[in-house]
């Protein structure tokens, strides 16, 4: 039924639950599992006395954080008995990145958390999972 499954990860509990479901489906259907992570950077501000100072995030720190999320997802998949066919840590818009990886791999299914680490703005603008559901050319399973 499913030959290629995409599992977006962001380190959140819903993403971990979704990855667990994706691993079970991959084992059940002997499907390839592809992991994707798009680091999202919020500005870091620190109050110093009566002023606020912005701490710039370096490319190295962003890459390091993305690697940590992916390493954790790889460990979870391996523990579940699945060796992912590929991993992708890419900068950019999460929705566009997920849809691009799904299309490149001719995915049958995207399994993702219903809510992740998205901002309050996503409550008004729509979450990544909602946008992926609208834009995907394959089935999308959202996990709580």
């Amino acid at each position: 039924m499913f030959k290629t499954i995409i599992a977006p990860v962001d380190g959140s509990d819903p993403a971990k639950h979704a990855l667990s479901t994706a691993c079970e489906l991959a084992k059940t259907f002997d499907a390839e599992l592809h992991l994707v992570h798009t680091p999202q950077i919020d500005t870091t501000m620190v109050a110093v006395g009566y002023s606020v100072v912005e701490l710039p995030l370096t490319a190295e720190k962003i890459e390091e954080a993305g690697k940590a999320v992916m390493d954790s997802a790889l460990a979870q998949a391996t523990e579940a008995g699945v060796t992912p066919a590929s991993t992708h840590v890419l900068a950019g818009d999460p929705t566009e990145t997920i849809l691009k990886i799904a299309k490149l791999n001719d995915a049958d299914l995207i399994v993702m958390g219903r809510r992740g680490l998205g901002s309050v703005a996503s409550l008004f603008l729509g979450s990544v999972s909602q946008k992926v559901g609208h834009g995907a050319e394959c089935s999308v399973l959202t996990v709580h």
Side-chain angles (χ1 to χ4, degrees), residues 19-33:
L19 179 54
S20 180
T21 300
C23 288
E24 288 303 314
L25 289 168
K27 288 191 299 189
T28 299
F29 294 104
D30 194 28
E32 284 187 350
L33 178 65

Side-chain angles (χ1 to χ4, degrees), residues 5-106:
I5 299 171
I6 306 298
V9 295
D10 66 4
S12 67
D13 285 339
K16 290 175 185 175
H17 293 284
L19 179 54
S20 180
T21 300
C23 288
E24 288 303 314
L25 289 168
K27 288 191 299 189
T28 299
F29 294 104
D30 194 28
E32 284 187 350
L33 178 65
H34 300 266
L35 304 179
V36 60
H37 174 60
T38 306
Q40 295 303 294
I41 308 307
D42 290 325
T43 303
T44 304
M45 305 289 270
V46 176
V48 179
Y50 291 104
S51 62
V52 175
V53 177
E54 183 175 349
L55 298 177
L57 293 171
T58 64
E60 293 80 24
K61 287 188 182 199
I62 295 167
E63 185 178 325
E64 191 177 296
K67 184 179 179 327
V69 169
M70 187 55 72
D71 287 349
S72 176
L74 275 169
Q76 181 182 347
T78 301
E79 187 174 308
V82 177
T83 301
S86 69
T87 61
H88 307 272
V89 178
L90 303 166
D93 177 78
T95 301
E96 291 175 12
T97 302
I98 294 163
L99 294 174
K100 176 183 169 185
I101 296 301
K103 189 169 187 122
L104 286 172
N105 289 286
D106 196 25

